[in-house]
Amino acid sequence: MARTSRSVGLRTRAAAAAALAMAAVLAAGGLWLYTLLRANLLDNTTGRTELAARKVAAQLDARTLPSGGRLPAPEGGVDLVLVRDAAGRTVAASGGPQDVPGPGTLAPGPGQDSRSVVLPPARPDGERRVVVAVAAPGPPGGHDPHTVYAMTVLGDVDDATAAIAGGLLAGAPPLIAFAAALARWVTGHALRPVTAIRTELAAVTASRLDRRVPDPGGADEIARLARTVNDTLDRLERSDARQRQFTADASHELRNPLAAVRSRLEVALAMERPDRESVAAALADTERLQRIAADLLLLARLDGGPEPRPAEPVDLALVAAEDAARRPAARAALRLDASAPVPAYGDPARLERALANLVDNALRHARSRIGVRAVAEDGWAVLEVTDDGPGIPPADRDRIFERFVRLDADRGRGSGGTGLGLAIAREIARAHGGDVRAREAPGGGALLELRIPAGR
């Protein structure tokens, strides 16, 4: 229920945002359109009014005004044209009301030949007017200038602008509602794959890790989200499979020595005087159990991520030399090639453990010789361990680093190996930003290379 309300809330927020955006656009665009049209209509009306005034001024200049002071009705929708002398007396008019202000109020100023003014309504129920005053010469033989006034009532302009404003105001709510509904529908349509992904993901359980969320296809964010979720589920399923296999292998590895210890102790208890051989064999199996438990604990710690252990300067050449010095004489001769320091940063104890595991693995497979080489290469600190054994088939060179994997299981158990040494070495190297890989040695046999960054 909470998830549904969050989904509805997202659609509602998208609809509200679209409605606000549409309202802002309509308000700005409507105001601009209203102002532009109103100014255009007023300019056109003022231009027609001025043209009517200048026609009469031209007649006055040409001494062709009608006699008797009666002017013909102006064209172009102009309501009134009249001529006044310098004293403000009306000399000629086209008829109609003459509610035009006197010359002191509207007459053109010095250096001007015309002037236009929009007058407010003369009465409460009246209409606005635009008046244009044009300077003109006086009658024949006179020297006093006259002024021609033309007036147009702005009723049509005001009606047109009011109609435009009403249309904008009436059309805004439906457009805003349409934008909100469209945004809500588009958001719901876009979230439909997300809902399917969420529903399928909620059905994934520990016993059903094989389920995958639907991929809507395409290259948009939702499609990439679906693929990322499926990749995560793939990794989770592989991790779960490895964990189950690891548990099964660990149970198998622990069951054999536990059974051997129990049988040996039962035989010893059945004797009146237990022999030392049975107790020594039980002790050896117990030590093997301890080694397996210690390796499992170390792997669990490595799987849990890097521990807060500060990195220290480490000389891998010195690590290799100390490991060789600690080892007693073995059936295979160990040759060390570490003539120059190989600086690196890391956990010295963990790196010593990784090298020891690689050398122990070589000792179990070597015929007569083992080589350990420490060298710095292109910003990497490298430890190489080689042996002259049978080598590692190419198909198994990555598999040997899996846990409890032995290419020769019988010999591995007989010589005390747990099947975890190479896995531990690789995890230690990866925790230091490097890796361990296997390949064929130049003279035959196996070569295991541990490589970590030389810097921090």
Side-chain angles (χ1 to χ4, degrees), residues 195-214:
T195 303
I197 291 172
R198 176 184 56 80
T199 302
E200 191 66 25
L201 192 59
V204 175
T205 61
S207 60
R208 303 185 67 184
L209 290 176
D210 58 332
R211 297 180 69 98
R212 295 295 180 268
V213 301

Side-chain angles (χ1 to χ4, degrees), residues 368-394:
S368 60
R369 70 178 186 278
I370 298 172
V372 178
R373 177 172 175 260
V375 64
E377 293 180 353
D378 300 328
W380 294 88
V382 181
L383 284 173
E384 293 181 351
V385 179
T386 58
D387 64 71
D388 59 351
I392 304 171

Side-chain angles (χ1 to χ4, degrees), residues 151-366:
M151 181 187 72
T152 302
V153 177
L154 295 177
D156 293 341
V157 174
D158 291 340
D159 291 343
T161 53
I164 293 171
L168 291 174
L169 292 176
L175 289 176
I176 294 173
F178 174 76
L182 181 62
R184 186 180 180 87
W185 180 84
V186 170
T187 305
H189 184 74
L191 289 178
R192 194 173 302 160
V194 177
T195 303
I197 291 172
R198 176 184 56 80
T199 302
E200 191 66 25
L201 192 59
V204 175
T205 61
S207 60
R208 303 185 67 184
L209 290 176
D210 58 332
R211 297 180 69 98
R212 295 295 180 268
V213 301
D215 186 349
D220 58 8
E221 290 78 2
I222 296 178
R224 291 198 294 269
L225 172 64
R227 296 184 191 113
T228 301
V229 170
N230 284 335
D231 290 342
T232 302
L233 290 175
D234 288 339
R235 291 193 298 271
L236 183 61
E237 185 179 15
R238 289 195 297 269
S239 176
D240 181 73
R242 285 196 301 269
Q243 183 179 6
R244 292 177 185 274
Q245 184 63 39
F246 179 72
T247 303
D249 291 340
S251 300
H252 176 73
E253 292 292 331
L254 293 173
R255 185 174 62 246
N256 289 338
L258 282 173
V261 170
R262 178 175 179 176
S263 63
R264 295 181 190 280
L265 291 178
E266 287 176 349
V267 170
L269 288 175
M271 298 179 180
E272 293 183 3
R273 298 182 63 184
D275 57 61
R276 294 178 59 84
E277 182 179 353
S278 297
V279 176
L283 179 60
D285 287 334
T286 303
E287 292 173 350
R288 174 175 169 77
L289 284 172
Q290 288 179 329
R291 289 196 301 273
I292 293 175
D295 288 347
L296 290 175
L297 179 60
L298 178 57
L299 278 173
R301 288 175 177 172
L302 292 172
D303 287 342
E307 300 178 12
R309 301 163 69 99
E312 303 176 13
V314 181
D315 183 0
L316 294 190
L318 181 60
V319 170
E322 290 177 346
D323 179 80
R326 284 194 298 266
R327 294 183 179 276
R331 61 178 181 84
L334 192 153
R335 183 174 61 86
L336 177 64
D337 181 6
S339 57
V342 181
Y345 279 87
D347 184 344
R350 292 280 173 86
L351 293 173
E352 290 171 4
R353 175 63 184 277
L355 175 61
N357 288 358
L358 297 180
V359 175
D360 289 342
N361 178 78
L363 284 172
R364 282 193 292 272
H365 298 90

